[in-house]
């Protein structure tokens, strides 16, 4: 099973580039950029990774990203993630980035996006991994700041396929960003939003994603299974859900394998993703392998999960078909 997973072509649709910042890299960048750290070794950093809910994770995540300052830093971050993803047979990726986590510290938007873009181009050439970037707004910041960043990104519109919404969900519903997402839609962006696991008002947040924002997919969305009407609408719309098993384990002490099984049974387009792999210490294959073990998933189930990701990816139909053919050939062999 492990070898089957390792060789299977995959698409990753829910990974925060800042969540791929490895402890050793935090140290190297801190030194290069003259930033003082609270820790003395990368091991001490990992020892401090004591997450049990979203706020306790975000606190450490935002503190660490302070070491990202120059275009080269964003390039290295992104390229090093692609190296790991390519080794895991990820052939297509739609990574998130959080510009407000950097512009709020005085880093120019141009610096961030140019570094990421150059890494995407080099990864396509050298690693044969194709990618399209998603810009996330931080939902615990204001709608005005989100709108400013939407306008800031317009000169680079061709480098961004869609917009998302992440960070602390408590009391920050989708409706807070209705105007921002309406404008993003007008500008031609695809739309997604986090509906993180077990958040306050989560069923209402998922409902707003469907009816008010009219998202093209949902990140996480596991709690939709607790509401028959949500399930029905998600199935009817063929809406994708980007589920992150190991990330979920930090919140619900399970890889949500029962929930993912239920989604497959109900015809919901569930996918497997790594979320913040440097923090949760699990990249794509680690997520698939742990999930297959906990949930006793068959090869057919795993192929279905991978197929779902290509199905819901923001790709042209001919590219989508190319990847699905590759996956089918792998499964048949
Ligand atoms: N930002 C980075 N990772 C996140 C997650 N899992 N949920 C919400 N915001 C995030
Ligand atoms: Zn996420």
């Amino acid at each position: 099973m492990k070898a089957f997973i390792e060789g299977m072509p995959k698409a990753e649709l829910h990974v925060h580039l800042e969540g791929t910042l490895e402890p050793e890299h935090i140290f190297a960048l801190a030194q290069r950029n003259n930033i003082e750290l609270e820790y003395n070794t990368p091991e001490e950093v990992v020892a401090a990774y004591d997450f049990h809910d979203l706020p306790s994770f975000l606190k450490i995540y935002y503190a660490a990203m302070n070491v990202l300052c120059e275009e080269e830093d964003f390039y290295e971050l992104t390229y090093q993630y692609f190296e790991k993803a390519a080794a895991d047979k990820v052939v297509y990726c739609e990574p998130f980035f959080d510009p407000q986590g950097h512009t709020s510290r005085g880093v120019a938007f141009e610096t961030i996006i140019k570094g990421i873009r150059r890494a995407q181009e080099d990864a396509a050439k050298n690693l044969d991994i194709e990618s399209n970037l998603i810009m996330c707004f931080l939902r615990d910041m204001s709608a005005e700041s989100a709108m400013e960043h939407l306008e800031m990104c317009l000169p680079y519109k061709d480098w961004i396929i869609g917009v998302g919404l992440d960070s602390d969900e408590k009391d920050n519903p989708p409706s807070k960003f209705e105007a921002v997402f309406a404008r993003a839609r007008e500008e031609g962006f695809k739309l997604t939003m986090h509906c993180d696991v077990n958040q306050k008002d989560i069923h209402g947040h998922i409902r707003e994603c469907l009816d008010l924002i009219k998202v093209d997919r949902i990140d996480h969305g596991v709690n939709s299974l607790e509401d028959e009407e949500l399930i029905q609408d998600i199935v009817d719309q063929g809406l994708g859900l980007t589920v992150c098993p190991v990330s979920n384990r930090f919140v619900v002490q399970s890889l949500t394998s029962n929930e993912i099984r239920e989604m497959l049974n109900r015809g919901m387009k569930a996918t497997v993703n790594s979320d913040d792999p440097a923090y949760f210490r699990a990249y794509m294959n680690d997520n698939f392998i742990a999930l297959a073990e906990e949930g006793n998933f068959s090869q057919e189930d795993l192929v279905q999960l991978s197929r779902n990701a290509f199905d819901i990816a923001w790709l042209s139909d001919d590219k989508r078909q190319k990847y699905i053919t590759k996956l089918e050939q792998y499964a048949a062999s």
Side-chain angles (χ1 to χ4, degrees):
M1 187 60 82
K2 184 166 177 279
F4 181 79
I5 288 168
E6 285 169 351
M8 182 171 70
K10 300 166 199 82
E12 168 134 82
L13 306 179
H14 185 155
V15 58
H16 302 262
L17 287 173
E18 295 87 348
T20 71
L21 182 56
E22 288 285 340
E24 294 76 15
H25 202 194
I26 295 176
F27 266 80
L29 291 175
Q31 198 159 38
R32 198 159 84 195
N33 293 324
N34 278 318
I35 291 167
E36 215 170 298
L37 293 177
E38 273 181 52
Y39 310 98
N40 295 311
T41 64
E43 291 72 27
E44 278 185 30
V45 174
V46 177
Y49 289 175
D50 174 26
F51 323 122
H52 47 277
D53 57 12
L54 188 52
S56 61
F57 161 72
L58 290 170
K59 190 163 168 261
I60 291 173
Y61 170 83
Y62 290 120
M65 70 172 76
N66 287 338
V67 300
L68 294 162
C69 303
E70 308 294 333
E71 184 182 317
E72 193 62 21
D73 305 345
F74 290 93
Y75 174 88
E76 283 178 8
L77 174 76
T78 307
Y79 196 80
Q80 287 174 17
Y81 161 68
F82 284 135
E83 285 180 321
K84 295 197 180 69
D88 275 2
K89 274 278 161 27
V90 172
V91 293
Y92 177 70
C93 179
E94 289 171 6
F96 300 126
F97 75 119
D98 283 335
Q100 288 157 294
H102 314 300
T103 55
S104 58
R105 302 179 284 114
V107 181
F109 187 85
E110 185 184 20
T111 301
I112 308 162
I113 196 150
K114 284 189 168 167
I116 294 173
R117 176 69 183 183
R118 192 154 52 80
Q120 287 181 270
E121 288 169 352
D122 284 356
K125 268 193 299 219
N126 306 336
L127 304 169
D128 209 17
I129 180 166
E130 184 184 1
S131 60
N132 284 305
L133 190 60
I134 302 174
M135 181 173 87
C136 279
F137 305 111
L138 302 187
R139 67 199 309 160
D140 40 1
M141 292 185 73
S142 68
E144 290 72 28
S145 172
M147 191 67 96
E148 276 168 27
H149 283 76
L150 180 61
E151 280 166 5
M152 214 180 278
C153 89
L154 293 178
Y156 305 96
K157 202 167 152 175
D158 293 346
W159 292 358
I160 298 172
I161 195 150
V163 297
L165 188 68
D166 63 4
S167 202
D168 195 356
E169 189 161 338
K170 185 164 181 256
D171 297 326
N172 293 303
S175 52
K176 176 176 167 185
F177 299 93
E178 185 182 1
V180 179
F181 278 69
R183 172 81 192 280
R185 169 79 81 206
E186 276 171 23
E187 295 288 350
F189 294 111
K190 295 283 192 184
L191 311 183
T192 187
M193 285 184 165
H194 276 56
C195 291
D196 252 289
V197 182
N198 288 1
Q199 295 293 302
K200 181 182 168 212
D201 304 326
I202 190 64
H203 302 117
H205 289 189
I206 299 173
R207 179 49 67 194
E208 284 187 355
C209 277
L210 298 178
D211 296 353
L212 185 68
I213 311 295
K214 298 189 165 57
V215 293
D216 296 290
R217 70 176 177 239
I218 291 177
D219 300 310
H220 299 290
V222 174
N223 294 93
S224 60
L225 286 170
E226 295 152 3
D227 181 324
E228 274 304 318
E229 286 178 9
L230 289 177
I231 295 175
Q232 210 48 58
D233 288 350
I234 287 168
V235 171
D236 290 347
Q237 291 180 31
L239 206 65
L241 302 171
T242 63
V243 185
C244 306
V246 175
S247 166
N248 289 344
R249 189 164 61 192
F250 285 88
V251 185
V252 292
Q253 287 73 51
S254 125
L255 298 160
T256 57
S257 53
N258 290 334
E259 289 83 351
I260 292 172
R261 159 87 54 209
E262 175 76 3
M263 287 175 183
L264 293 182
N265 289 344
R266 302 289 301 252
M268 298 162 91
K269 291 200 180 291
T271 63
V272 174
N273 304 272
S274 70
D275 207 359
D276 299 287
Y279 292 92
F280 305 137
R281 313 307 292 157
Y283 284 80
M284 273 293 260
N285 287 352
D286 306 318
N287 272 272
F288 264 101
I289 291 164
L291 179 74
E293 252 169 33
E294 186 187 276
N296 235 329
F297 280 68
S298 67
Q299 288 190 355
E300 288 71 35
D301 297 328
L302 300 170
V303 170
Q304 182 65 52
L305 287 164
S306 187
R307 195 199 156 102
N308 286 349
F310 292 116
D311 272 346
I312 67 167
W314 295 333
L315 281 164
S316 65
D317 284 340
D318 54 330
K319 282 192 174 170
R320 186 189 322 286
Q321 197 47 55
K322 178 191 83 173
Y323 288 121
I324 290 175
T325 302
K326 199 170 173 152
L327 175 65
E328 283 171 349
Q329 280 170 351
Y330 178 77
S333 72

